[in-house]
């Protein structure tokens, strides 16, 4: 098992609070895996992202106990080079855009400029990433004149161009329509295909079911379940803890109760078509 990140006995409290936002967190993140993070509002998902990115407590202040390690080294020891290892995409792309560049091309190149990457390499990497994120046609536009979906793609491109090993993405589609959501997840899938380690917070549970390898479930600041998506997302008891499950899971459970001989519960639409079709054949004999 190749562990790229680890949390050891982590408690974290924001300033002026008495109750920790994250409690007793022990977690190992494997290199190259896609983790979906779920849980009801206020469960600690965004705080987890802040801890894994090093924003808590360095930016948000507060108090931390325990350790967050990146490749065996305490996250606080990395300094500025951490952004080359971990890319963080905010929920609101307005937060991601620097505001100091006049064009999308310059915005995507901004991080590379700050790291002193040579001009020729910067141009090559920016052009490559803009093609991948399908924002070539926006190159000369002002970042703040874009639609929400376009701006989120620019935000993703500005992080991806740094070529981090780990991507932490906090609800990237919360403000997007279905078309914008689809375009953003096409980029995330491309990163998964490149074997990047991805940690994604997303309320659209069917997207988690489709793309994630493992799922982390948070409640009241505690990690209450972690494991393979097919195991976690078919645990009906999680609904009692405010956790949403995929629609196909709920359908399959109803069909199972109605007598359909399903040996497994599907978590994606593709699985459902295959499993339900097979069960219906078996029932007909």
């Amino acid at each position: 098992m190749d562990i790229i990140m680890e949390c050891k006995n982590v408690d974290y409290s924001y300033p002026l609070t008495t109750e920790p936002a994250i409690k007793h967190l022990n977690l190992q993140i494997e290199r190259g895996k896609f983790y979906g993070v779920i849980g009801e509002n206020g469960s600690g998902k965004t705080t987890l992202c802040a801890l894994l990115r090093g924003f808590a407590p360095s930016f948000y202040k507060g108090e931390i106990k325990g350790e967050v390690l990146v490749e065996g080294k305490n996250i606080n020891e990395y300094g500025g080079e951490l952004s080359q290892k971990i890319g963080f995409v905010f929920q609101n792309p307005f937060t991601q855009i620097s505001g100091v560049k006049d064009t999308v091309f310059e915005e995507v190149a901004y991080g590379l400029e700050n790291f002193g990457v040579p001009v020729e390499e910067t141009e090559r990497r920016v052009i490559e990433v803009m093609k991948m994120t399908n924002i070539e046609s926006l190159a000369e536009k002002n970042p703040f004149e874009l639609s929400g979906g376009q701006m989120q793609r620019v935000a993703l491109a500005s992080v991806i161009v740094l070529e981090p090993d780990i991507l932490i993405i906090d609800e990237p589609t919360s403000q997007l329509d279905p078309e914008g959501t689809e375009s953003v997840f096409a980029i995330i899938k491309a990163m998964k295909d490149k074997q990047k380690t991805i940690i994604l917070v997303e309320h659209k549970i069917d997207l988690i079911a489709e793309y994630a390898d493992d799922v982390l479930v948070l409640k009241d600041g505690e990690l209450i379940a972690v494991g393979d998506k097919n195991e976690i997302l078919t645990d009906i008891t999680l609904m009692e803890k405010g956790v949403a499950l995929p629609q196909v899971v709920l359908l399959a459970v109803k069909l199972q109760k109605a007598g359909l001989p399903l040996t497994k519960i599907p978590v994606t639409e593709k699985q459902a078509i295959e499993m339900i079709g097979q069960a219906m054949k078996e029932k007909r004999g």
Side-chain angles (χ1 to χ4, degrees):
M1 187 184 297
D2 187 0
I3 304 301
I4 193 169
M5 296 189 79
E6 186 171 10
C7 296
K8 291 185 173 181
N9 302 314
V10 173
D11 285 10
Y12 172 72
S13 301
Y14 286 104
L16 306 177
T17 60
T18 56
E19 184 73 12
I22 292 290
K23 311 166 192 171
H24 321 306
L25 178 63
N26 287 285
L27 173 65
Q28 291 184 326
I29 299 293
E30 291 183 52
R31 189 185 303 274
K33 267 194 171 185
F34 188 145
Y35 293 83
V37 183
I38 63 174
E40 60 189 344
N41 290 335
S43 61
K45 301 186 297 296
T46 294
T47 304
L48 174 64
C49 290
L51 281 168
L52 296 179
R53 176 59 185 88
F55 285 178
S58 64
F59 179 76
Y60 294 114
K61 306 305 179 184
E63 182 183 0
I64 187 171
K65 297 177 182 177
E67 286 187 298
V68 179
L69 306 176
V70 180
E71 295 185 329
K73 180 178 172 181
N74 192 294
I75 197 168
N76 296 321
E77 297 176 20
Y78 278 95
E81 67 184 71
L82 188 64
S83 59
Q84 292 180 295
K85 284 192 168 291
I86 303 174
F88 185 63
V89 181
F90 290 88
Q91 179 178 358
N92 188 338
F94 281 94
T95 309
Q96 198 94 31
I97 303 300
S98 69
V100 300
K101 296 296 184 179
D102 295 327
T103 70
V104 166
F105 188 96
E106 292 172 339
E107 180 65 35
V108 177
Y110 186 48
L112 295 175
E113 289 177 5
N114 287 336
F115 282 111
V117 176
V119 173
E120 287 187 5
E121 184 182 348
T122 293
E123 290 183 353
R124 178 188 63 78
R125 283 165 65 171
V126 170
I127 290 169
E128 183 180 304
V129 166
M130 290 182 73
K131 285 180 181 177
M132 187 185 73
T133 53
N134 195 25
I135 57 173
E136 291 173 281
S137 62
L138 307 176
E140 297 303 316
K141 290 186 177 293
N142 187 300
F144 289 108
E145 294 175 356
L146 307 177
S147 69
Q150 290 171 332
M151 193 178 287
Q152 190 61 280
R153 280 185 282 151
V154 171
L156 275 163
S158 69
V159 171
I160 292 167
V161 76
L162 299 175
E163 299 179 351
D165 294 325
I166 304 164
L167 283 169
I168 300 173
I169 309 172
D170 188 7
E171 294 193 54
T173 70
S174 63
Q175 303 175 58
L176 303 184
D177 60 18
E179 184 179 353
T181 296
E182 186 177 333
S183 67
V184 166
F185 264 84
I187 298 167
I188 294 173
K189 183 181 184 302
M191 290 296 96
K192 179 182 180 181
D193 293 342
K194 286 178 177 287
Q195 299 299 304
K196 298 293 185 181
T197 304
I198 299 171
I199 300 162
L200 172 75
V201 175
E202 179 58 67
H203 274 296
K204 296 168 184 171
I205 193 67
D206 294 313
L207 292 173
I208 292 287
E210 183 70 31
Y211 291 97
D213 299 311
D214 282 16
V215 173
L216 313 177
V217 186
L218 290 169
K219 182 174 176 60
D220 298 331
E222 294 192 53
L223 185 64
I224 61 170
V226 57
D228 181 88
K229 69 178 180 184
N230 294 291
E231 174 188 344
I232 301 298
L233 296 180
T234 55
D235 183 354
I236 301 300
T237 64
L238 289 175
M239 294 181 69
E240 300 168 7
K241 299 170 183 177
V243 178
L245 297 180
Q247 290 298 310
V248 294
V249 170
L250 305 182
L251 172 63
V253 169
K254 287 182 179 179
L255 290 173
Q256 206 173 39
K257 288 179 179 177
L260 192 66
L262 281 168
T263 54
K264 290 184 179 179
I265 300 296
V267 299
T268 67
E269 185 177 333
K270 182 180 178 182
Q271 289 178 356
I273 291 170
E274 293 175 357
M275 292 179 185
I276 292 173
Q278 182 62 35
M280 290 179 72
K281 285 182 182 178
E282 291 177 8
K283 189 171 184 179
R284 287 195 299 264

